[in-house]
Amino acid sequence: MIPRAAATYLAVVQFFFAVTWTLYVIYLPALATRAGIGPEWIPWILVADQVVFAIMDVITGFWVDRIRAGLARLGGWIAGLTLVSCAAFVLMPYLAADASLLLGLVLTWSITSSALRSPPWALLSRYAAKPQVPFLSALMLTGSALAAALAPYLGVALRDADPRVPFIVSTITLAATVLGLVFVERRLAQALPSPAGDAEPEYDLSSARARGLLVTFFAGATVMAAAYQVHFSLNSAHAYLAFASEERLPYLMPVFWIGFNLLVIPMGALVRHLGALEAMAAGAVSGALASLASAWAPDLYTLVAAQFVAGGCWAMMSVATFSAAMAFGRSRRQGKMLGSLFAVLALAAFVRIGAYASDVVLLDWFQASAAWIPVVAFGLAALLLFAGPRLARTTLPAT
């Protein structure tokens, strides 16, 4: 029960962290205008954020493994870096009149916010027994998914609000919950003096077959993340606009995340039953079919149903992917594997935002093929993950 309570608490932390990102995206254009930065630079600032996230995720992952090996505790370090991140975030509306100060705060926030990406997952992974991992991963993912579902409503509600109030409220809330991680980790250490993640046998990467399977996993995760970005971030709004007005988008876009949140816990049980890599492949096949159904939907009701199912498929893929990363990371490489996974997710977002910034999304060939890109990409990811273990003649131990 202790790891389950910790996962629930960490999900709350992830929720407030994701809300700060939403607020940042909502208010960045106005803050940049005050600093004299033209609107054409906004997408490129967001692209730079993703590059920083990817670099820092890898660095932080390696750092987490070294810190844990030397000091055994992560909570204090996570809290300390997060307080720096919170300070940079809350100062943005107050110092936005100077472009250099604003960009410096954005960079500081981007660098230090990596403390809330892979480290909390590494903390959970350390204390979670292998059979618990899929369910605890599902609990963790609900936090960021709930924030994603709330994002369109926040965009409408806060469009004309003074950024100082939401920035202060969200920062205080996030800082308070993150400080509680120190207490949570202490409780975990008292209840589980021999962490399962340290005591269980590690995944042996000494053979070429095992390393090949790891490469296959990351290749599949990369293609899968790119497919999700195209399906949800590039295609969903366009699909809805074929049947509904633009004013209804804030109420339709969350359908994907409603499906994710309602189905993520059952998907955790399915991942445990199938195995992480097998569930990733099955989720990718289902995601391809859901993307195809969304592209061919003859009416709004069919499209809503397809998007709901697509959210459930992404829940399955997400739970399976994080479970696989933690399995590859057993027992002393959780930080490296989880940091690398977050870097993959950041790079997928980088490609999507870059496509907007460079106007690739406006090209005729992209618009003609956009509906098919996630279908093909999900299918390719499934092929990689089905074939990888068979070609390598090895697989992850059962969860």
Side-chain angles (χ1 to χ4, degrees):
M1 291 298 294
I2 295 294
R4 182 178 299 184
T8 303
Y9 190 90
L10 290 169
V12 174
V13 172
Q14 295 296 306
F15 170 81
F16 288 118
F17 174 55
V19 167
T20 62
W21 167 257
T22 300
L23 293 175
Y24 168 71
V25 173
I26 290 171
Y27 286 112
L28 180 60
L31 295 176
T33 298
R34 284 174 53 192
I37 300 172
E40 70 276 9
W41 290 103
I42 301 302
W44 294 111
I45 294 174
L46 295 174
V47 165
D49 287 333
Q50 298 302 325
V51 173
V52 173
F53 286 156
I55 294 171
M56 291 307 302
D57 284 334
V58 175
I59 293 173
T60 303
F62 280 78
W63 168 79
V64 161
D65 289 338
R66 292 193 64 179
I67 288 295
R68 195 191 59 197
L71 300 178
R73 295 289 176 89
L74 292 175
W77 287 92
I78 294 173
L81 283 174
T82 301
L83 290 178
V84 176
S85 177
C86 287
F89 186 75
V90 80
L91 286 173
M92 288 182 196
Y94 293 93
L95 301 178
D98 186 287
S100 299
L101 285 176
L102 177 62
L103 294 176
L105 290 171
V106 168
L107 179 61
T108 302
W109 173 72
S110 299
I111 290 172
T112 52
S113 65
S114 63
L116 285 179
R117 289 164 66 86
S118 62
W121 282 90
L123 173 62
L124 181 69
S125 176
R126 188 183 184 207
Y127 288 95
K130 193 179 298 181
Q132 297 175 299
V133 167
F135 176 73
L136 297 180
S137 298
L139 278 180
M140 280 275 285
L141 287 163
T142 57
S144 53
L146 283 170
L150 186 63
Y153 304 122
L154 286 176
V156 173
L158 300 175
R159 184 178 299 156
D160 300 319
D162 186 331
R164 289 175 292 185
V165 174
F167 270 55
I168 290 173
V169 172
S170 65
T171 300
I172 291 174
T173 308
L174 177 61
T177 54
V178 170
L179 287 173
L181 280 180
V182 178
F183 173 76
V184 169
E185 187 177 29
R186 187 177 295 121
R187 286 288 306 275
L188 283 169
Q190 291 171 352
L192 303 168
S194 298
D198 292 347
E200 292 175 355
E202 68 178 24
Y203 182 76
D204 186 4
L205 284 172
S206 60
S207 70
R209 289 178 178 177
R211 292 192 295 273
L213 187 63
L214 178 63
V215 171
T216 299
F217 161 70
F218 275 110
T222 301
V223 176
M224 196 179 291
Y228 151 73
Q229 290 288 346
V230 176
H231 169 81
F232 178 73
S233 300
L234 300 185
N235 289 351
S236 292
H238 179 73
Y240 280 126
L241 289 174
F243 306 107
S245 64
E246 189 170 352
E247 289 73 20
R248 296 181 65 185
L249 280 182
Y251 309 99
L252 292 170
M253 292 296 287
V255 167
F256 179 93
W257 294 110
I258 292 171
F260 185 106
N261 283 298
L262 291 180
L263 297 176
V264 69
I265 299 299
M267 291 306 175
L270 189 57
V271 170
R272 180 178 177 183
H273 175 72
L274 294 176
L277 296 180
E278 293 79 4
M280 284 178 70
V285 170
S286 303
L289 295 175
S291 293
L292 189 62
S294 296
W296 286 0
D299 53 56
L300 182 60
Y301 299 104
T302 305
L303 177 58
V304 167
Q307 290 283 22
F308 180 91
V309 173
C313 295
W314 182 239
M316 183 177 182
M317 287 181 267
S318 298
V319 172
T321 301
F322 277 96
S323 298
M326 285 188 268
F328 278 116
R330 297 278 178 165
S331 60
R332 301 288 180 178
R333 295 184 298 262
Q334 289 105 326
K336 297 180 183 68
M337 295 301 167
L338 288 162
S340 298
L341 176 58
F342 272 99
V344 164
L345 298 176
L347 288 174
F350 159 81
V351 171
R352 183 256 301 174
I353 300 171
Y356 266 121
S358 60
D359 290 334
V360 168
V361 295
L362 300 179
L363 298 178
D364 291 340
W365 68 264
F366 184 89
Q367 294 189 358
S369 60
W372 290 99
I373 291 174
V375 178
V376 173
F378 278 133
L380 176 59
L383 181 62
L384 284 169
L385 293 161
F386 271 129
R390 288 155 183 79
L391 293 175
R393 298 180 185 177
T394 185
T395 191
L396 281 169
T399 51

